[in-house]
Amino acid sequence: MRAGLRGLGLKPGEFWDLTPAELALMLGIDFGAAAMTRARLGDLMARFPDGAAAGGAGDPRAGPKPARMNQQDRRQADGG
């Protein structure tokens, strides 16, 4: 309230009519998500690796893997 009334010079009614997002914007507070950089992606990949422990091969939640098609199967699927 102090930031809105004293810092921004808002009247009480103006302050109470603001949403938290509007007040944060007026105060210059940025709550947006950080950009996905190569370093951030690397951190996430290290924290949540693919594999048996993370829904990969061997994880019963992973479900069946799609069958690989050989050249003959592809020709038949393409109608040739």
Side-chain angles (χ1 to χ4, degrees):
M1 245 176 97
R2 181 177 296 139
L5 299 178
R6 288 190 183 167
L8 297 174
L10 298 172
K11 296 176 183 164
E14 294 170 332
F15 173 80
W16 291 113
D17 285 341
L18 292 174
T19 65
E22 291 170 330
L23 181 60
L25 179 66
M26 293 175 77
L27 293 172
I29 300 170
D30 183 18
F31 291 115
M36 182 60 69
T37 62
R38 185 176 297 269
R40 175 113 170 89
L41 177 60
D43 292 343
L44 288 172
M45 290 171 66
R47 269 183 80 189
F48 304 101
D50 290 341
D59 187 339
R61 297 171 296 167
K65 297 244 182 225
R68 299 189 103 200
M69 294 177 73
N70 62 29
Q71 280 187 318
Q72 184 178 358
D73 293 334
R74 281 193 204 108
R75 281 194 294 267
Q76 289 175 351
D78 290 338

